[in-house]
Amino acid sequence: MDGGRKMKTCLQYDQYQETGVREECGVFGIYDFDGNDVASSVYYGLCSLQHRGQESCGIVVSDTKGDRGNIAYHKDLGLVSEVFKPDTLSSLHGNLGIGHVRYSTTGGSTRENAQPLVLNYIKGTLALAHNGNLVNAASLKEELVYGGAIFHTTTDSEMIAYYIARERVHTRNVEEAVLHTARRIRGGYALVVMSPRKLIAVRDPFGLKPLCIGKRNNAYIVASESCALASVGAEFIRDIEPGEMVAITEKGITSNKELQQKERAHCIFEYIYFARLDSEMDGIKIYDARIRSGRALAKAWPVDADLVTGVPESGLTAAKGYAMEAGLPFEIAFYKNSYIGRTFIKPTQKERESSVKLKLNVLESVVKDKRIVLVDDSIVRGTTMANLIQMLKKAGAKEVHVRISAPPFLYPCYYGTDVPSNEQLIAADHTTEEIREIIGADSLGYMKIEDLQTMVGDLGICKACFDNHYPVPAESEKKGFTNEEN
C-alpha cells in the first residue's frame, strides 16, 4: 500500500494534536444477586481495563434492596489507583454497580467529562458508561438543544443519557427506553446503563466496540474485555452479540436482538493493539491474532537477518510470530522502565525524545554486530521509531529492518479511535521509502491490507482507517458537523 496518499480528515482531528493513536474507553458492570457490595469488584475490573484509558475513571453503585434513587458514585481525573483509595471504596455501598475508564477522542480532559454519567430525571436516577463515538451525534444533540436540553459535558455520552431519560417517560421500563435510543444512535458503541434496580448492556449492530458477559457465583458481569472478568474471578460466558441488548434484573438475565443485522465490522485495531494480550474477543484470542499478524509480515516482507525483536510491549507478540515464520531467533533487545509515562504526553519534541531513552534501554550484548528485524504495531509520527533505530545502531547493530503489523494510517476513525490529524501522521505525506529514510531503517515493510483478515479468520472487520471504506458513513462528511465524543 502506498504510504504517500493523502489522509482525509475532519475538524475533530485537527483540533487535537497528539502524537500517537490513543486508546478507547473501557466499561464494566456487575449485579450481585446475593446483595454483596460490588465497588471493590468494579475497582479491580477497571484496573484490568486501565490500558483502554488513563485519563479519568469512575464508579457508580446502587443497593437494589434499598430506597430507589440511592445511587452513590465517585469519579475524577487520573488512574484507577489514584482516584480510588480504600476509604473511598468503602463508602460506596451497593450490590449493583458500573464503572468506566476514559481516554477522550474529543470532548476535552475535564472532570465534568469523567464517567459514568449520573442523571436525575422525572423517573428517578440513571447512570451510563459508554465506549465509542457516534456519527450522528451533532444532529441528535441539535434536536435536544432545541428541545430545551442543557448540556454539562462535551461528550456523546450525555446526549445518549438524555435520550434514554426522554424515552423512559413514554415507555414501560428502562429496557424499552434504551432500545428506542439505540435505534436512533449510529456509530460504534458499547453501553452499560444502570438504574437503581437494573443493569443493561447494549452493543452497536456492527460490533465495532467489544462487550462480553461473565458470571461469578450469583453475580453477572459485563465488561469491555474478558480480561476484566478474569480479574474478579468470573467465568467468561460469551460475547454480547452485535446489536444485542442484555438486561440483568432481579428476575435474572434476558436478551433482546431486535437491533441485529447481517453485516459485521469489528474494529481490527482491537486485535492489532487495543485489547489486552490475555483477552478473547468474538471468538478470537488476542495473543493468537497477533502471532498470526507476525507470521503474515514474515511472509510478505522476508529479509536476511540474525534475530527478531519487538518494541515493548506493543510489538513483542507480532515479533514472536515473525520469528516463528522466518525461522529466526526471537530476542528481547530492550529493557523497559515501566515507571516512565507515555512519550506522547510530553509537550515538546525534545522532551519526547528524552522520554524514549528513559523508557527503553538497549541490551547491547543482544544486538551487537547483529542484523535485526524490529517489529511494532504502528508508525505514527516516526519520532519514536527513529530514536529506537538510532539506539540500536549505537549499541552495535549492523542493520535494522522495521516491520509494522498494521498498514499505514491514512484516514480518520469516526467510531472512537483517536487517529491524529494528517499533520501528525508521517504516512499521510510520505511514501514508504521516504519514511524508511526518515527513520533510518535499512528496510521497512507494513502489513498488507489484504493480510489483516488472516488475524481474525472470517470475522467481519472495519479497517476504514487504512482503506477509507466506512461501514457507517460519517455525518460530518455529509453535513459539515463535527463529531462529539466519548
Side-chain angles (χ1 to χ4, degrees):
M1 181 176 180
D2 182 9
R5 294 169 61 190
K6 282 282 186 179
M7 172 181 171
K8 183 166 65 174
T9 68
C10 64
L11 179 61
Q12 174 183 358
Y13 297 98
D14 293 328
Q15 290 174 329
Y16 295 91
Q17 302 297 310
E18 299 295 346
T19 65
V21 178
R22 302 202 293 185
E23 286 87 344
E24 304 178 329
C25 299
V27 298
F28 186 92
I30 179 171
Y31 192 139
D32 190 310
F33 290 100
D34 290 333
N36 299 308
D37 282 347
V38 297
S40 61
S41 293
V42 181
Y43 171 87
Y44 289 119
L46 294 183
C47 284
S48 68
L49 296 173
Q50 189 76 86
H51 61 286
R52 299 186 70 87
Q54 300 93 46
E55 182 179 276
S56 64
C57 59
I59 295 174
V60 181
V61 297
S62 172
D63 179 359
T64 62
K65 302 300 183 184
D67 296 332
R68 289 187 179 274
N70 64 349
I71 285 179
Y73 65 94
H74 180 74
K75 57 183 179 178
D76 209 340
L77 297 175
L79 301 176
V80 178
S81 60
E82 297 169 342
V83 172
F84 292 98
K85 302 302 181 184
D87 58 337
T88 307
L89 283 174
S90 64
S91 69
L92 298 175
H93 298 292
N95 63 313
L96 170 61
I98 66 173
H100 188 269
V101 289
R102 182 174 190 266
Y103 218 145
S104 66
T105 55
T106 72
S109 304
T110 65
R111 187 178 184 278
E112 289 73 20
N113 286 338
Q115 293 190 38
L117 297 178
V118 178
L119 192 68
N120 293 305
Y121 69 115
I122 192 169
K123 287 286 187 177
T125 308
L126 184 78
L128 177 142
H130 168 215
N131 169 31
N133 198 65
L134 306 183
V135 299
N136 63 335
S139 58
L140 292 177
K141 187 172 183 179
E142 183 179 39
E143 177 185 328
L144 288 170
V145 169
Y146 279 103
I150 299 173
F151 288 86
H152 301 283
T153 77
T154 53
T155 69
D156 282 359
S157 310
E158 188 178 17
M159 182 270 296
I160 297 171
Y162 274 152
Y163 263 97
I164 295 172
R166 192 173 76 168
E167 291 292 333
R168 178 65 186 92
V169 176
H170 308 290
T171 56
R172 294 175 299 172
N173 51 49
V174 69
E175 296 97 304
E176 285 188 7
V178 172
L179 192 62
H180 290 179
T181 300
R183 290 194 180 103
R184 296 288 308 274
I185 60 180
R186 296 173 58 249
Y189 58 86
L191 297 175
V192 178
V193 181
M194 189 186 94
S195 71
R197 299 284 193 270
K198 298 176 180 179
L199 177 64
I200 300 167
V202 60
R203 190 177 180 192
D204 70 80
F206 285 93
L208 284 156
K209 300 303 172 190
L211 202 56
C212 63
I213 187 166
K215 194 172 189 295
R216 183 189 66 192
N217 300 324
N218 204 22
Y220 280 103
I221 299 165
V222 294
S224 290
E225 294 187 35
S226 61
C227 65
L229 303 177
S231 71
V232 297
E235 175 189 1
F236 173 81
I237 297 178
R238 64 177 178 86
D239 292 283
I240 293 176
E241 297 177 17
E244 181 182 14
M245 182 183 76
V246 170
I248 304 168
T249 72
E250 59 183 4
K251 297 179 181 178
I253 183 169
T254 59
S255 169
N256 183 302
K257 300 182 181 181
E258 293 179 27
L259 299 173
Q260 285 198 336
Q261 59 184 32
K262 185 175 181 181
E263 186 180 356
R264 304 290 169 85
H266 304 274
C267 175
I268 189 60
F269 227 78
E270 292 285 353
Y271 302 92
I272 295 172
Y273 173 73
F274 289 140
R276 214 169 82 169
L277 198 59
D278 55 338
S279 287
E280 179 177 338
M281 240 173 231
D282 295 298
I284 307 295
K285 294 185 184 298
I286 300 302
Y287 176 83
D288 294 345
R290 291 176 189 167
I291 289 289
R292 288 192 288 269
S293 74
R295 285 186 176 276
L297 268 179
K299 291 177 182 177
W301 303 105
V303 65
D304 288 331
D306 300 307
L307 64 89
V308 182
T309 193
V311 178
E313 303 288 334
S314 55
L316 291 177
T317 310
K320 184 177 180 181
Y322 190 106
M324 292 164 65
E325 184 65 34
L328 294 171
F330 169 71
E331 300 283 354
I332 300 297
F334 295 97
Y335 168 75
K336 181 181 179 181
N337 183 346
S338 300
Y339 301 97
I340 300 296
R342 294 180 170 216
T343 57
F344 70 73
I345 66 172
K346 303 301 176 182
T348 68
Q349 183 71 19
K350 185 176 181 180
E351 286 180 288
R352 279 192 291 268
E353 292 172 358
S354 298
S355 290
V356 171
K357 294 169 185 175
L358 284 170
K359 192 185 216 179
L360 296 174
N361 193 38
V362 177
L363 303 175
E364 185 175 331
S365 61
V366 174
V367 306
K368 187 175 177 60
D369 298 324
K370 298 291 181 20
R371 299 167 300 169
I372 297 169
V373 177
L374 177 62
V375 180
D376 203 2
D377 58 23
S378 62
I379 298 178
V380 181
R381 293 172 55 94
T383 304
T384 298
M385 184 58 72
N387 277 310
L388 294 178
I389 293 170
Q390 185 180 45
M391 290 165 64
L392 287 169
K393 292 195 171 182
K394 188 175 180 180
K398 291 167 64 176
E399 298 174 5
V400 179
H401 302 273
V402 175
R403 299 293 180 263
I404 303 299
S405 61
F409 289 110
L410 295 170
Y411 305 98
C413 174
Y414 298 113
Y415 313 126
T417 302
D418 192 19
V419 180
S421 67
N422 58 340
E423 290 86 357
Q424 300 290 319
L425 289 170
I426 193 171
D429 295 308
H430 299 89
T431 65
T432 298
E433 177 58 23
E434 288 171 343
I435 296 170
R436 184 199 66 77
E437 292 180 1
I438 291 169
I439 65 177
D442 291 277
S443 70
L444 171 61
Y446 286 93
M447 173 77 82
K448 295 180 178 179
I449 287 185
E450 57 267 29
D451 287 341
L452 287 172
Q453 201 68 54
T454 65
M455 298 179 65
V456 295
D458 58 0
L459 191 71
I461 58 175
C462 175
K463 49 186 186 296
C465 53
F466 305 129
D467 66 6
N468 199 29
H469 295 140
Y470 294 92
V472 190
E475 183 180 73
S476 57
E477 289 183 304
K478 297 182 293 183
K479 297 183 179 181
F481 295 128
T482 58
N483 290 332
E484 298 263 0
E485 172 271 348
N486 149 17

